[in-house]
Amino acid sequence: MKIPGACAHIASLKTVAPAKRRECEECVKTGSEGVHLRTCQTCGGTRCCDSSPHRHASQHAKGSGHPVIASAEPGENWLYCYPDDNFAEY
């Protein structure tokens, strides 16, 4: 994707993978609730952000090495790269 100011991880994306469901797949397993959902651009899983108690999206990125997430919130069109701490709107 051609996004001004994007790091190499974000620039390497062909498209943005949308959320398949509007819930954190890890919170569903534990019966907890996540807020501000994020979708991994490598595997397509949707998890909660760092404002949620369990921070599943950050944990997933760290444990899996999947670098880029997209907001899964309606009306938000941005990507974030964990290793490069790079934020880009599309």
Side-chain angles (χ1 to χ4, degrees):
M1 296 180 71
K2 293 194 182 223
I3 300 173
C7 67
H9 293 109
I10 291 174
S12 71
L13 297 174
K14 303 277 188 250
T15 61
V16 176
K20 294 174 190 158
R21 298 186 308 178
R22 292 270 315 129
E23 59 192 0
C24 171
E25 57 191 60
E26 298 301 323
C27 286
V28 168
K29 292 176 189 174
T30 62
S32 39
E33 241 179 88
V35 296
H36 305 292
L37 299 173
R38 312 296 183 227
T39 300
C40 176
Q41 295 302 292
T42 301
C43 68
T46 298
R47 294 168 180 87
C48 58
C49 79
D50 287 353
S51 296
S52 297
H54 300 289
R55 301 176 176 180
H56 289 126
S58 292
Q59 289 179 19
H60 173 74
K62 185 177 181 181
S64 68
H66 297 170
V68 180
I69 57 168
S71 176
E73 296 299 316
E76 293 184 3
N77 297 309
W78 57 262
L79 299 155
Y80 178 75
C81 176
Y82 285 99
D84 295 326
D85 189 26
N86 185 242
F87 175 85
E89 292 188 83
Y90 64 93

